[in-house]
Amino acid sequence: MAEPKLRILQVMRAPVGGLFRHVADLTRALSEMGHEVGLVVDSLANDAQTESKLAALLPHASLGIHRFAMPRVLGHGDLTTPFAVRKLARTLKIDVLHGHGAKGGFYARLANFGGKAATLYTPHGGVLHFSRSSTSGRVFHALERALLSRTSAIIFESAYAQATYSSLIAKPTCPTHIIHNGLAPAEFEPVPPNAGAANFVFVGELRDLKGIHVLIDALAGVQRPDGSPATLVMAGDGPARQELESQITNLGLTARVKLLGAQPARPTFARGHIAVVPSLAESLPYVVLEAAAARLPVIATRVGGIPEIFGTTAASLVPASDSNALRTAMQAALDDPETADNQMKLRLAHIEEHFSLARMSGDIETLYHQAIAPA
């Protein structure tokens, strides 16, 4: 007998970054499967880009997109929004509440007190980034422990996230599942480099945590096989842009580094031959998946769930915050393109098997049905 179609409410704070990418992909996939999906998002941090992203998702959200106050850390909305979400869930007769990120998980599980919906939670790194020593960290970690009894299941996007949650917060008392993020079939189409493409390409937010300063330090000593200086394009924006520009100028790299501003990833991959992801910390970054699926060799750091993406090529990962190691890896990729290409092909096969959108959405759908099944 066919499984029943579900009424699902996805709860997240802000439609930005990898978290929103995951929720958007999942919403579209669930809608295509015949389920009815609604979204709950923050009303405090809207801008033109946010509204554009949500408008594009609206045709797949048959239960609507609903906005409530969701302060980034702690605020008045934390006292009122769970009640508003609970009322909405009951009005819409929701079968599954799925919270994403620290705040989304907080609201979804509090909203279901006294309710009958299954409540699932995907941290997406969020609460895992709070330090035990900070006030916010202590508060959110205590809330996590208190809400475990209200959680039908936790979905971790990587084994790294699962292990970090257990060591940092508590060993979950509810079922847990590792379901990797996935890419759509079109994202596995090759992206060949443009004429005049730089040697290296970076796509990400311009902030310290992304390792951008380590990357610039590393680039300074990298040369092409003909002895000319290696070049880099960087797509992204963020709070560290001004500091980054000063670093580039001080190192005399203005002719070698081009800052493109915020740009979509796939078209940007054509601006470089080799992708570099020098992050100091990550969960399971989409940009690594996207670059590898686009057929680019990828140089990345051994942080978060990146080794899970690299599979049998994980030995090529470099330590975070180590400009010398990163420089050596970048130079090796230029000096021995055949090895870099062979590793790319192995990585691609691994990602095609384990990181597809069909696999991700299908596994989550199965988990939803398991969560609402009678005990």
Side-chain angles (χ1 to χ4, degrees), residues 2-164:
E3 295 280 14
K5 299 306 178 184
L6 303 175
R7 297 172 68 83
I8 303 159
L9 196 60
Q10 307 278 351
V11 186
M12 61 180 172
R13 193 185 73 84
V16 294
L19 186 156
F20 175 71
R21 160 69 194 268
H22 173 87
V23 174
D25 285 350
L26 181 58
T27 296
R28 292 187 182 97
L30 291 170
S31 176
E32 290 172 2
M33 294 173 184
H35 302 293
E36 294 186 84
V37 186
L39 296 175
V40 171
V41 300
D42 181 26
S43 63
L44 300 176
N46 288 355
D47 56 26
Q49 186 177 19
T50 295
E51 291 305 319
S52 174
K53 289 181 177 180
L54 292 175
L57 199 53
L58 187 57
H60 308 278
S62 59
L63 298 182
I65 297 177
H66 309 270
R67 295 166 172 81
F68 301 105
M70 298 183 179
R72 185 176 182 278
V73 185
L74 297 171
H76 180 70
D78 295 326
L79 302 176
T80 59
T81 294
F83 295 100
V85 176
R86 181 172 66 177
K87 181 178 179 180
L88 176 67
R90 290 178 176 178
T91 300
L92 295 176
K93 298 179 180 179
I94 293 299
D95 299 305
V96 176
L97 273 160
H98 189 166
H100 298 266
K103 280 302 181 77
F106 171 59
Y107 295 134
R109 290 177 290 177
L110 280 182
N112 203 36
F113 268 87
K116 297 181 180 179
T119 309
L120 291 92
Y121 169 45
T122 304
H124 293 283
V127 73
L128 306 181
H129 292 157
F130 286 102
S131 169
R132 283 195 187 103
S133 60
S134 69
T135 300
S136 296
R138 289 193 294 271
V139 170
F140 278 112
H141 292 173
L143 285 170
E144 285 289 327
R145 290 188 287 271
L147 290 171
L148 281 173
S149 63
R150 306 296 307 172
T151 309
S152 302
I154 300 178
I155 300 172
F156 294 103
E157 74 276 24
S158 66
Y160 161 80
Q162 183 185 54
T164 302

Side-chain angles (χ1 to χ4, degrees), residues 87-375:
K87 181 178 179 180
L88 176 67
R90 290 178 176 178
T91 300
L92 295 176
K93 298 179 180 179
I94 293 299
D95 299 305
V96 176
L97 273 160
H98 189 166
H100 298 266
K103 280 302 181 77
F106 171 59
Y107 295 134
R109 290 177 290 177
L110 280 182
N112 203 36
F113 268 87
K116 297 181 180 179
T119 309
L120 291 92
Y121 169 45
T122 304
H124 293 283
V127 73
L128 306 181
H129 292 157
F130 286 102
S131 169
R132 283 195 187 103
S133 60
S134 69
T135 300
S136 296
R138 289 193 294 271
V139 170
F140 278 112
H141 292 173
L143 285 170
E144 285 289 327
R145 290 188 287 271
L147 290 171
L148 281 173
S149 63
R150 306 296 307 172
T151 309
S152 302
I154 300 178
I155 300 172
F156 294 103
E157 74 276 24
S158 66
Y160 161 80
Q162 183 185 54
T164 302
Y165 189 99
S166 294
S167 63
L168 184 65
I169 298 167
K171 185 174 181 179
T173 55
C174 63
T176 65
H177 302 263
I178 298 169
I179 301 178
H180 289 127
N181 296 332
L183 300 180
E187 294 177 281
F188 286 95
E189 292 296 322
V191 178
N194 294 335
N199 299 112
F200 301 101
V201 56
F202 166 91
V203 179
E205 191 176 2
L206 300 185
R207 58 187 178 117
D208 295 347
L209 196 65
K210 294 300 181 180
I212 55 175
H213 302 298
V214 180
L215 173 57
I216 296 302
D217 283 341
L219 178 73
V222 181
Q223 294 183 330
R224 297 167 175 162
D226 64 5
S228 61
T231 55
L232 166 71
V233 294
M234 301 182 73
D237 214 336
R241 176 161 186 151
Q242 186 173 355
E243 184 182 353
L244 179 68
E245 290 173 339
S246 296
Q247 181 187 14
I248 291 169
T249 300
N250 293 338
L251 291 176
L253 302 177
T254 52
R256 298 173 56 187
V257 181
K258 186 169 185 177
L259 302 182
L260 305 177
Q263 300 287 334
R266 273 184 69 81
T268 303
F269 292 146
R271 304 287 295 269
H273 290 270
I274 301 165
V276 187
V277 184
S279 301
L280 310 187
E282 287 287 359
S283 182
L284 193 80
Y286 270 104
V287 68
V288 177
L289 292 170
E290 292 169 321
R295 311 294 202 276
L296 270 71
V298 181
I299 299 169
T301 48
R302 184 178 289 277
V303 296
I306 294 179
E308 296 167 57
I309 299 174
F310 267 52
T312 59
T313 67
S316 67
L317 293 168
V318 302
S321 302
D322 189 334
S323 59
N324 290 329
L326 184 59
R327 182 181 302 116
T328 298
M330 293 167 70
Q331 189 64 61
L334 293 182
D335 292 342
D336 188 0
E338 184 177 354
T339 295
D341 190 61
N342 289 337
Q343 289 199 340
M344 177 273 290
K345 291 174 181 176
L346 290 171
R347 197 172 301 128
L348 175 65
H350 176 69
I351 292 171
E352 285 177 325
E353 180 179 359
H354 297 285
F355 295 86
S356 71
L357 178 57
R359 180 170 181 161
M360 179 193 88
S361 56
D363 287 351
I364 291 176
E365 181 195 37
T366 297
L367 185 55
Y368 285 168
H369 284 299
Q370 291 173 353
I372 65 172

